[in-house]
Amino acid sequence: MTYAVAVRALCEFTARAGDLDLRFTPAPSGLEGMAGHTAVTGRRGPGYETEVALSGQYQNLLVRGRADGYDPVANQLEEIKTYRGRLDSVRDNHRAAHWAQARVYAHLLCLARGLAQIRVALVYFNVATEEETVLSETRDAAWLAGFFQDQCDRFLAWSRTELAHRQARDAALERLAFPYGEFRSGQRELAVAVYRRARDGGCLMAQAPTGIGKTLGTLFPLLKAAPGSGLDKVFFLAAKGSGRGLALAALDTLNAQPAQPALRVLDLQARDKACEHPDKACHGESCPLAQGFYDRLPAAREAALAQGRLDAPAVRAAARAHQVCPYYLSQELIRWSDVVVGDYNYYYDATAMLHALTQAHQWKVAVLVDEAHNLVDRARRMYTGELNQLGLAAARQAAPKALKKPLDGLQRSWTALNKKQAEAYQAYDEAPAGVLAAVQKAVGAITDYLGESPLAQDDPVLAFYFEALHFMRLAEQFGPHALFDVTRADGSSHGAKTPPSTLCVRNVVPAPYLAARHAAAHATVLFSGTLSPQQFYRDTLGLPPEAAWIDVAAPFQAAQLAVKVVGNVSTRYRDRARSLAPIADLIADQYARRPGNYLGFLSSFDYLRQVAELMRSRHPQVPIWLQTPGMDETSRAAFLARFTESGQGVGFAVLGGAFSEGVDLPGKRLIGAFIATLGLPQVNAVNENIKRAMERRYGQAQGYDYTYLYPGMQKVVQAAGRVIRTEQDVGTVHLIDDRYRRAKVRKLLPSWWRVDA
């Protein structure tokens, strides 16, 4: 069997050496890089060849790619690289890979055209100054053939292992049986739909209730389809750690089967959790784990992959044993893993690593999106950019002399905009051209400066620069999917005649960005217990019209859950004072009739505190505990630890917070919930502008529903879903608000509920 590899991938694997060096230097954009290549090739003679397709075989390794250019008159093969700033800012490990690429292409050209000798040139092109630096050497064909064979031998030792792993993995997956013999009710229906989508490609929206085993019900069929579909990798993406934990447990179960697929499962960790030396910068002169990173990487990689389950402890252990950075070792391991488990942002963010690697290596991937209803808000944040004027002030104060003028110019334009704005908050039809031009000028000046004089990672100028880059990218793509707004600070707190403000390119509909990510995957499955109404999620998540839909019936009976509407109470802000006593009395009455564990969900921490205080004074016999703002993992665990099989009491939490979803409390650990809100987002200037944007995009009728009703009711259904987790559970849910009597609201509740009005 032939193993195909791109020239670039081969050389990045075999030729990188020395330190890991992530000191920031401004790199050319993709467009600048293409323009740089065009500029260089445009200077060459009429016979100059560009994008020369080349390939060569060594044993069972097929190496292929396109050389940037060849001058047949000078007999010179050119590898063109673009950069900004000083040439010495191109890191040594990158230069080593660049030379290797040039030499491999030179060998392939000698092979293709029967050349006995060739001149090999690295052409570095400065996109700012348009200056070329040519580094060259003359090599005979025999030397280049030896170099090529050496690279291939080094790669083959690894690729043979990888090929054997892939063949064994696929053979085992074809034999793999469902680990529990029989599927749960509804689980088979889900699995069949996922298998078909993995086989045929495209997108699937799967609404499936808690209790049927969605995680295993999606992973198992996807992996079963992998050999026949030629899938390289599966990405399991979750919004929360609990979802990632369920995925890792399901994959452990599959790996423990007699077929032994020996899946390499990588659990991606955030940098702040994986970093061993958070006080040091990521380069060899600062961090000992960055020094010689690429020299020690092969042994660390081999040791890590021997483990199979590449969770944080396993990766850290391998990294420590070989003295390399665990975070960047984890990034390297993506290339050799079968299943990668991580957060949404690893694939869907603007600079997402998994998407970039998929594109670079042309992997055929399947993407599983756990609790996909969360992707709407998460993606909105990914594609929203803010610039705070206080950040500009800090940058101006710290800026070197060369940057004072452009930053001062931005400050003047920004202040002029503030003076024109009468209200504290205002949305604009488009970003003000004057301010955008000033931001662009400041970004350009900082970019040029950084090319010559790098700044420390904690420098305020660099912090502002990164925010400005993100802001400008989004501003350049501004359209009906976004808002541009300006929020002025309270002048009294700053003592300024013109208070500082925040500029925001605010994403409303992430669909234009997400659609491209769906298209890059062979198959995408978005699953959740709450994906209704489906058109809302189709519109906001950028799903193609042909995306399939499945609504899996719940395995529960209506008799398991008593759903009671408390329609004589209003939880609207203006009515909250009058709602406190009825809510407290209702909770106490239900607790007296059936003591046990309950969750009470309120719309805010302030509302929660008021109800809890009244409970303590009015019904002191009822044990209560409260979610508090900013709870860390230990505090959240302590909150949930109160819900035991023999426990009794009421835990109060904020709807939409940490305890509204992803919390599994089966049996008597939770027997009821009180939801004293519709979960509607706050009516304010921002949300009202979002509503108007929704109306313009989807029609007048959808504006309110898309902005307020659907997101609010999704939270309600998720919170209520904490009560019935298995087919043996029995519980009660009280929906406290007169609006639950409305037919439009009731229509958004799960179909298997029998609601007592």
Side-chain angles (χ1 to χ4, degrees), residues 9 66 77 83 147 152 253 269 283 304 313 361 378 396 446 458 509 533 557 575 625 726 749:
R66 290 181 179 272
L77 181 288
Y83 71 100
F147 180 84
C152 290
T253 299
Q269 297 290 310
H283 58 82
H361 295 279
R378 286 289 301 277
R396 287 172 66 212
I446 298 172
D458 59 351
V509 180
Q557 303 299 315
D575 300 323
W625 54 99
T726 73
L749 300 176

Side-chain angles (χ1 to χ4, degrees), residues 236-271:
F236 187 100
L237 309 175
K240 298 182 179 180
S242 55
R244 290 166 55 186
L246 289 172
L248 292 171
L251 290 161
D252 282 345
T253 299
L254 293 175
N255 262 340
Q257 296 308 295
Q260 293 181 341
L263 295 164
R264 292 172 177 167
V265 179
L266 174 64
D267 180 20
L268 284 176
Q269 297 290 310
R271 182 171 176 172

Side-chain angles (χ1 to χ4, degrees), residues 426-444:
Q426 186 171 330
Y428 295 78
D429 292 335
E430 58 184 8
V435 172
L436 283 190
V439 173
Q440 184 65 65
K441 188 174 181 179
V443 166

Side-chain angles (χ1 to χ4, degrees), residues 87-289:
L87 182 57
D88 60 14
S89 67
V90 179
R91 308 302 184 204
D92 289 342
N93 60 72
H94 291 161
R95 290 197 189 207
H98 297 164
W99 269 119
Q101 286 176 248
R103 290 163 179 164
V104 168
Y105 279 127
H107 161 72
L108 296 177
L109 190 67
C110 287
L111 193 68
R113 304 193 181 186
L115 303 176
Q117 190 181 71
I118 194 170
R119 191 169 180 80
V120 187
L122 264 183
V123 181
Y124 285 105
F125 180 79
N126 188 316
V127 296
T129 65
E130 299 193 350
E131 176 188 0
E132 277 185 48
T133 301
V134 181
L135 309 176
S136 64
E137 61 182 24
T138 299
R139 296 290 185 183
D140 58 45
W143 187 93
L144 290 169
F147 180 84
F148 176 73
Q149 291 173 14
D150 180 60
Q151 304 305 302
C152 290
D153 280 333
R154 294 168 66 185
F155 189 83
L156 273 171
W158 182 261
S159 67
R160 289 191 183 105
T161 303
E162 289 304 295
L163 194 58
H165 167 76
R166 176 70 175 260
Q167 291 172 331
R169 182 201 76 177
D170 286 354
L173 287 175
E174 287 177 342
R175 300 191 305 270
L176 188 67
F178 189 68
Y180 298 114
E182 294 185 1
F183 288 90
R184 295 183 190 176
S185 175
Q187 195 178 37
R188 177 180 291 279
E189 184 184 358
L190 173 64
V192 168
V194 172
Y195 182 88
R196 288 173 177 165
R197 194 51 46 195
R199 180 193 63 195
D200 301 335
C203 294
L204 169 67
M205 298 172 66
Q207 180 168 265
T210 295
I212 69 164
K214 293 192 291 291
T215 304
L216 191 58
T218 53
L219 275 168
F220 173 75
L222 204 56
L223 291 166
K224 280 291 289 182
S229 303
L231 287 179
D232 295 305
K233 299 184 186 301
V234 171
F235 300 151
F236 187 100
L237 309 175
K240 298 182 179 180
S242 55
R244 290 166 55 186
L246 289 172
L248 292 171
L251 290 161
D252 282 345
T253 299
L254 293 175
N255 262 340
Q257 296 308 295
Q260 293 181 341
L263 295 164
R264 292 172 177 167
V265 179
L266 174 64
D267 180 20
L268 284 176
Q269 297 290 310
R271 182 171 176 172
D272 59 348
K273 291 185 177 180
C275 183
E276 293 272 18
H277 298 290
D279 58 323
K280 294 180 172 61
C282 294
H283 58 82
E285 295 172 18
S286 175
C287 180
L289 300 184

Side-chain angles (χ1 to χ4, degrees), residues 287-484:
C287 180
L289 300 184
Q291 191 175 56
F293 176 86
Y294 290 107
D295 300 329
R296 296 190 294 274
L297 175 61
R301 178 174 55 217
E302 187 173 353
L305 290 175
Q307 304 301 311
R309 193 185 202 266
L310 301 169
D311 56 10
V315 173
R316 188 176 295 276
R320 282 178 173 169
H322 296 274
Q323 286 297 290
V324 297
C325 171
Y327 178 69
Y328 288 101
L329 173 60
S330 180
Q331 289 194 7
E332 288 288 331
L333 293 173
I334 293 170
R335 294 166 170 81
W336 317 106
S337 300
D338 303 307
V339 183
V340 180
V341 179
D343 189 88
Y344 292 162
N345 66 286
Y346 286 111
Y347 188 77
Y348 287 111
D349 199 283
T351 56
M353 183 195 323
L354 293 180
H355 177 258
L357 287 171
T358 297
Q359 295 295 92
H361 295 279
Q362 293 298 292
W363 290 331
K364 194 173 188 180
V365 303
V367 180
L368 288 174
V369 185
D370 179 43
E371 301 293 359
H373 60 273
N374 286 303
L375 186 56
V376 178
D377 282 342
R378 286 289 301 277
R380 279 176 173 167
R381 293 198 291 273
M382 292 175 197
Y383 294 99
T384 291
E386 288 188 342
L387 268 188
N388 189 291
Q389 207 164 3
L390 295 177
L392 171 59
R396 287 172 66 212
Q397 186 174 0
K401 186 177 180 180
L403 296 177
K404 294 287 188 186
K405 185 175 180 179
L407 292 176
D408 286 343
L410 173 56
Q411 172 69 5
R412 286 192 297 272
S413 295
W414 199 331
T415 301
L417 174 65
N418 292 343
K419 288 179 178 178
K420 292 177 184 177
Q421 183 169 306
E423 303 297 326
Y425 171 86
Q426 186 171 330
Y428 295 78
D429 292 335
E430 58 184 8
V435 172
L436 283 190
V439 173
Q440 184 65 65
K441 188 174 181 179
V443 166
I446 298 172
T447 299
D448 291 342
Y449 181 87
L450 290 173
E452 299 294 331
S453 307
L455 296 172
Q457 288 181 317
D458 59 351
D459 193 293
V461 175
L462 200 58
F464 180 77
Y465 175 70
F466 290 148
E467 291 175 358
L469 278 176
H470 182 56
F471 177 86
M472 283 305 304
R473 288 192 200 104
L474 296 173
E476 288 165 358
Q477 301 169 58
F478 186 78
H481 60 274
L483 297 172
F484 183 87

